[in-house]
Amino acid sequence: MKRVLIADSHSLFRDFLKQKLTEVQIDVVVSQENRDLQTKLITSLPNLIILDFEEDDSEEMEFLKQKIKDSNTASIPVIITGPKRDASNIAPLTKYGVIKYFEKPVKLDVFFNAINKALHASLIMDDTPCVLDLHRNNSIIFVEIALGLNREKISLMQFKLAEMIENESIDTPKIIVMLTSLDFSFVDGFNIEFLIDNILACPGVHQKNLKLLSTSDFIKDLVDGHKEYSGVEVASNLPKLLNGLIGSSENTNVPDLITDQILTSSFEPDDDAGSLATKFTSDELYHRDTEKDGSVLSLAIIDSDENSLNLTRQIFEAIGATVDTYSKGQEFSDKYEEGKYNLVIIDVFIADKTGLSLLNFIKSRPYGPPVIVYSPSAQKEIVAQCLKLGAKSYILKPQKPDVLIQKSLSILHFSE
């Protein structure tokens, strides 16, 4: 059985991730305290480590340094979640076996894709477009859902809702689920039941304090047909639902609760960097943004020899790098983007353009990446020219994978 070691201080992340991994028979070892992390690593020898970085990451970095000193753990891949940081500070993590770095709040679909690749697993994600938001207004928690019902987000909502109830010490949670922008039919019945069941599973939530705001007759008929949902109310009128929740004993005005904050027409991103985002990259409202895949190292390889090009690509993809390949120098020049690559590997002889002209091109860029020339030519004049034009190293083909990787790490100042 495959095993994952999760080291994260945030219970919502841990619990949700553990549930998803367990569903596909992946053994999960959890470390809540950094002080026992090294021990659990040695005793469990996982196939993957998922590690949370704090702003002060000194303890996590010490763990990674100890990890690579032990031959039994050095090669275990690591996926990190952490705060936003400059790419130049992320790339050196490759040395410690880090294959992905995801900025928080994490986009779950991209995150799980990375786990699937690392474990050769089959975590399945519901990709139904859905935006889900939770917020509290006085004594009531509002759950707003737009676009559609996504089962992953509904599962995540349960954890976030339970977290809100606990953190804010809500003895009697009162919840309104706002579904007014959605139309439903019998094909949605399973997901609606899943939604209601997840809410009722939260601590302290009773049927009488759960209200659904919807214009759908189907939802009303579905709720009325379930004995276990007795007390759950469905209505199309928000003041009516609020009156039913507030009661005469509470000093709250219904009009004060019906605000732009509740009846929002747009959904803002979840900015809780310590938690999980209730959005995926597939969401329609966020689709216009280019989402990173979490890659720690990004490089370009330019080589007209197809076999050599593919072998070099495979070497770096094996350590989690994102690799773009080019068989022609002009293609690289045309598609070049400032800041896209941490490293460029060039064969000095290319079908349409010499490596010397490409070196000159990269050298002229204001923030050009470091370049390794990887070529079969051993002519002293060519080597000297390449180094003069800014190449950081000249390596003769062919080489063992470790040679290329270690030279790349050295050039990028990955060594201590």
Side-chain angles (χ1 to χ4, degrees):
M1 177 182 288
K2 293 176 181 176
R3 179 175 295 124
V4 174
L5 172 61
I6 303 175
D8 195 285
S9 58
H10 198 278
S11 61
L12 173 61
F13 188 102
R14 282 199 317 269
D15 295 345
F16 180 75
L17 186 53
K18 183 176 181 179
Q19 174 182 290
K20 291 297 299 181
L21 293 172
T22 304
E23 286 175 0
V24 291
Q25 284 73 55
I26 293 175
D27 186 30
V28 177
V29 178
V30 174
S31 173
Q32 300 182 32
E33 301 288 342
N34 283 332
R35 62 174 175 267
D36 71 349
L37 183 53
Q38 191 67 35
T39 300
K40 288 194 173 182
L41 172 64
I42 295 170
T43 56
S44 65
L45 292 178
N47 304 95
L48 175 67
I49 301 167
I50 299 176
L51 179 64
D52 182 48
F53 263 31
E54 302 293 339
E55 289 289 351
D56 177 4
D57 59 15
S58 55
E59 290 187 1
E60 290 79 22
M61 287 304 303
E62 182 59 32
F63 165 73
L64 290 176
K65 291 173 183 177
Q66 293 300 318
K67 167 189 172 293
I68 63 169
K69 289 180 180 178
D70 187 334
S71 60
N72 293 316
T73 61
S75 62
I76 298 173
V78 182
I79 294 176
I80 292 178
T81 61
K84 184 177 179 62
R85 57 198 298 173
D86 189 82
S88 62
N89 294 324
I90 294 176
L93 297 172
T94 305
K95 175 182 179 180
Y96 304 103
V98 176
I99 57 173
K100 298 287 181 181
Y101 185 101
F102 291 100
E103 294 177 1
K104 295 185 288 187
V106 175
K107 309 295 190 305
L108 286 178
D109 50 348
V110 183
F111 183 75
F112 279 122
N113 281 338
I115 295 176
N116 277 336
K117 289 181 180 179
L119 295 176
H120 304 288
S122 56
L123 285 165
I124 299 173
M125 298 290 293
D126 182 357
D127 60 0
T128 302
C130 169
V131 180
L132 188 153
D133 183 50
L134 282 76
H135 60 263
R136 182 183 178 191
N137 193 307
N138 291 344
S139 62
I140 299 173
I141 298 173
F142 291 84
V143 179
E144 300 181 78
I145 303 177
L147 301 181
L149 295 176
N150 181 294
R151 294 179 67 81
E152 312 302 341
K153 293 195 174 188
I154 292 172
S155 295
L156 178 58
M157 175 210 62
Q158 178 186 336
F159 288 98
K160 291 183 74 72
L161 187 57
E163 180 186 51
M164 182 181 290
I165 291 169
E166 178 182 355
N167 289 348
E168 301 187 25
S169 302
I170 305 173
D171 294 328
T172 307
K174 298 176 179 180
I175 299 166
I176 290 182
V177 183
M178 305 181 71
L179 302 163
T180 50
S181 65
L182 299 175
D183 295 322
F184 298 102
S185 67
F186 72 94
V187 297
D188 301 298
F190 189 50
N191 284 336
I192 294 168
E193 292 172 348
F194 188 65
L195 171 65
I196 296 172
D197 292 342
N198 270 268
I199 294 174
L200 292 177
C202 292
V205 177
H206 301 288
Q207 288 88 335
K208 66 178 181 178
N209 289 325
L210 173 58
K211 312 295 181 182
L212 306 179
L213 182 66
S214 174
T215 58
S216 171
D217 292 332
F218 173 76
I219 290 186
K220 182 171 177 55
D221 293 340
L222 183 147
V223 170
D224 290 344
H226 278 264
K227 292 182 180 179
E228 59 268 36
Y229 298 159
S230 177
V232 176
E233 183 181 0
V234 180
S236 59
N237 183 282
L238 180 58
K240 177 184 177 183
L241 292 182
L242 288 169
N243 273 318
L245 283 178
I246 293 171
S248 59
S249 61
E250 295 191 42
N251 184 24
T252 306
N253 293 320
V254 169
D256 292 340
L257 286 175
I258 307 176
T259 66
D260 290 338
Q261 181 182 0
I262 296 172
L263 299 177
T264 179
S265 58
S266 63
F267 291 80
E268 295 298 324
D270 184 342
D271 291 325
D272 180 6
S275 187
L276 288 171
T278 53
K279 62 177 182 288
F280 299 165
T281 56
S282 58
D283 288 346
E284 193 171 297
L285 293 181
Y286 302 104
H287 194 64
R288 61 181 177 271
D289 295 330
T290 301
E291 296 295 339
K292 295 181 180 179
D293 68 353
S295 294
V296 174
L297 179 63
S298 177
L299 69 150
I301 303 171
I302 310 162
D303 195 333
S304 296
D305 183 334
E306 186 175 347
N307 290 332
S308 174
L309 186 70
N310 289 331
L311 284 172
T312 309
R313 173 180 55 79
Q314 291 169 11
I315 288 170
F316 284 94
E317 285 183 342
I319 62 170
T322 296
V323 182
D324 290 338
T325 58
Y326 303 91
S327 59
K328 295 182 179 181
Q330 190 62 50
E331 182 185 9
F332 171 80
S333 300
D334 292 344
K335 296 183 178 180
Y336 179 81
E337 295 178 25
E338 203 71 69
K340 183 176 182 180
Y341 300 117
N342 304 110
L343 179 70
V344 176
I345 297 177
I346 299 174
D347 186 352
V348 74
F349 298 113
I350 309 168
D352 68 329
K353 202 171 189 178
T354 69
L356 298 178
S357 62
L358 278 180
L359 280 167
N360 207 29
F361 169 80
I362 294 172
K363 186 180 180 181
S364 68
R365 304 297 96 185
Y367 302 102
V371 179
I372 292 176
V373 175
Y374 186 43
S375 177
S377 174
Q379 298 178 40
K380 291 183 179 180
E381 297 81 2
I382 292 178
V383 174
Q385 280 184 291
C386 289
L387 297 176
K388 185 177 180 180
L389 287 172
K392 298 298 182 182
S393 182
Y394 192 107
I395 304 175
L396 287 177
K397 287 183 181 178
Q399 292 290 344
K400 293 180 180 179
D402 284 351
V403 173
L404 270 177
I405 291 172
Q406 291 305 318
K407 177 57 70 173
S408 299
L409 296 179
S410 175
I411 285 171
L412 294 168
H413 306 289
F414 289 177
S415 59
E416 301 197 70

